[in-house]
């Protein structure tokens, strides 16, 4: 098993090696690129060229990586040879003289990243149409198609066509500019309405007026229920629940009886004749009815018989036995 340090030492004293995720990567200077490729082929026996591409490292330039391999029993040895070129006037000697299969990959890297490969036999356009401007795989490249058509996917909160609230400003993906700053609609679109911050929304909710019909008592209750400074805001039209579960809701509380006035208390007891009132049976609570929950409408398993319609089974038996005794007596 060859380690990353042994690979780097075989490539050259100016190379450094590291292993990550089962792949050994050897970094070499750009001016030693052709020499490192030759050592990997001749010394390490990596005669199979797999692919070559680049990575945009922004201010640090471009990393050019070539993946090499050796097909031998019992398995395959892999090596990633990597170098870095500056962003301005990026150029790297061509690897076609060492690995002929690098010709196609260098053409693609040239038109996608703008990296020049001196010594390439035919560095012509491979994928892009003639007259195309820019390098699509650079991170600063503007995706013009996303300016004309919105980025696909789920909408963000507040972007529904049926909502009447202001839409939140979209977060543009990488490479997608603001259509009001770049493109055919530059400077013609109105600014997007920004929503207030969470603190401002909480303060506005606390200042809302109570619902209609509350009157002066509702205003006083809302003022009394106002939160202290620094406490979370509470809507004025939604007071806090102060009743427990055992007390029930406010609609279930019985109305208080009116207290006797002073004039009614002063009248003699003989004059006041109590009115005869029939006993009122308490009304049974209404059963909740729901088509989605059939157990809310319980039905007895057997229908109850009326009390005066028929006698009990025991009484029927006695009458039958009595009738038989009479018949026996008459016959006797």
């Amino acid at each position: 098993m060859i380690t990353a340090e042994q690979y780097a030492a075989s490539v050259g004293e100016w190379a450094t090696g590291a292993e990550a995720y089962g792949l050994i990567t050897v970094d070499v200077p750009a001016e030693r690129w052709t020499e490192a490729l030759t050592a990997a082929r001749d010394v390490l026996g990596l005669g199979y060229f797999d692919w070559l591409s680049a990575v945009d490292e922004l201010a640090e330039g471009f990393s050019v990586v070539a993946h090499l391999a050796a097909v031998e029993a019992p398995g395959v040895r892999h090596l990633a040879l990597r170098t870095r070129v500056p962003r301005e006037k990026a150029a790297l000697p061509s690897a076609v003289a060492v690995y002929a299969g690098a010709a196609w990959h260098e053409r693609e890297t040239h038109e996608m990243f703008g990296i020049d490969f001196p010594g390439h036999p035919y560095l012509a356009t491979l994928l892009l149409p003639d007259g195309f401007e820019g390098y699509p795989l650079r991170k600063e490249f503007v995706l013009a198609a996303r300016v004309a058509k919105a980025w696909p996917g789920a909408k963000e909160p507040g972007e529904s066509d049926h909502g009447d609230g202001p839409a939140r400003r979209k977060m543009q993906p990488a490479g997608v500019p603001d259509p009001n700053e770049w493109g055919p609609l530059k400077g013609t679109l109105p600014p997007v309405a920004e929503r207030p911050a969470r603190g401002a929304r909480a303060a506005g909710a606390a200042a809302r007026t109570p619902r209609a019909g509350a009157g002066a008592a509702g205003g006083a209750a809302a003022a009394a229920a106002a939160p202290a400074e620094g406490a979370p805001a509470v809507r004025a039209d939604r007071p806090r629940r102060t009743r427990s579960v055992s007390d029930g809701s406010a609609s279930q509380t019985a109305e208080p009886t009116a207290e006797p006035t002073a004039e009614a208390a002063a009248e003699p007891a003989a004059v006041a004749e109590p009115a005869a009132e029939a006993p009122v049976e308490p009304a049974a609570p209404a059963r909740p009815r729901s088509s989605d929950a059939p157990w809310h409408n319980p039905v007895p398993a057997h229908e109850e018989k009326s009390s005066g319609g028929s006698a009990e089974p025991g009484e029927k038996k006695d009458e039958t036995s009595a009738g038989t005794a009479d018949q026996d007596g008459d016959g006797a």
Side-chain angles (χ1 to χ4, degrees):
M1 181 66 181
I2 306 177
T3 63
E5 290 75 12
Q6 293 174 344
Y7 268 110
S10 300
V11 171
E13 57 182 8
W14 23 261
T16 58
E19 183 177 0
Y21 303 103
L23 179 64
I24 297 177
T25 304
V26 175
D27 291 284
V28 299
E31 58 273 11
R32 301 277 187 172
W33 180 245
T34 305
E35 184 178 351
L37 291 171
T38 305
R41 183 193 62 183
D42 300 339
V43 178
L44 296 175
L46 303 173
Y48 182 81
F49 179 86
D50 190 11
W51 52 263
L52 181 144
S53 187
V55 180
D56 189 355
E57 305 288 355
L58 296 177
E60 299 179 3
F62 299 99
S63 294
V64 180
V65 186
H67 183 253
L68 311 175
V71 183
E72 58 189 16
V76 180
R77 291 187 295 116
H78 301 268
L79 176 66
L81 197 65
R82 180 173 59 185
T83 188
R84 182 166 295 179
V85 295
R87 196 171 192 84
E88 299 295 332
K89 298 181 180 180
L92 187 66
S94 176
V96 176
V98 183
Y99 293 100
W104 186 93
H105 300 266
E106 288 181 349
R107 290 175 62 185
E108 180 190 28
T109 306
H110 169 67
E111 63 178 340
M112 292 295 174
F113 291 92
I115 302 175
D116 190 18
F117 292 92
H120 193 283
Y122 185 66
L123 201 62
T125 302
L126 180 66
L127 301 175
L128 299 178
D130 295 337
F132 187 89
E133 296 181 1
Y135 306 103
L137 292 187
R138 287 194 178 190
K139 291 184 177 180
E140 77 271 8
F141 182 78
V142 175
L143 300 178
R146 296 308 178 197
V147 178
K149 183 178 180 180
W151 189 266
K155 292 185 177 181
E156 294 188 3
E159 295 183 13
S160 175
D161 297 336
H162 303 285
D164 49 0
R168 192 175 71 179
R169 181 177 293 275
K170 297 180 181 179
M171 297 179 61
Q172 299 291 349
V176 180
D178 190 344
N180 201 27
E181 298 179 359
W182 189 92
L185 302 178
K186 178 179 180 181
T188 61
L189 300 178
V192 180
E194 296 288 350
R195 289 188 172 184
R198 290 185 177 180
R201 291 201 301 265
R208 293 181 181 177
T209 57
R211 288 178 292 183
E229 184 176 357
V234 180
R235 290 183 55 173
D237 58 343
R238 294 186 182 178
R240 286 179 168 237
R241 179 184 177 90
T242 58
R243 300 176 62 85
S244 63
V245 177
S246 59
D247 295 338
S249 62
S251 61
Q252 296 174 347
T253 306
E255 298 182 0
T257 56
E259 298 181 358
T261 60
E263 298 177 356
E267 295 180 357
V271 177
E273 296 181 1
E277 297 180 357
V280 180
E281 296 182 358
R287 294 178 179 175
R289 296 184 178 272
S290 173
S291 59
D292 298 333
W295 52 85
H296 285 172
N297 304 323
V299 179
H302 303 284
E303 297 182 357
E304 298 178 358
K305 298 181 179 180
S306 59
S307 58
S310 61
E312 297 294 333
E315 297 177 1
K316 288 183 178 181
K317 184 177 181 180
D318 295 342
E319 293 175 357
T320 305
S321 60
T324 304
D326 293 343
Q327 293 176 2
D328 293 343
D330 296 340

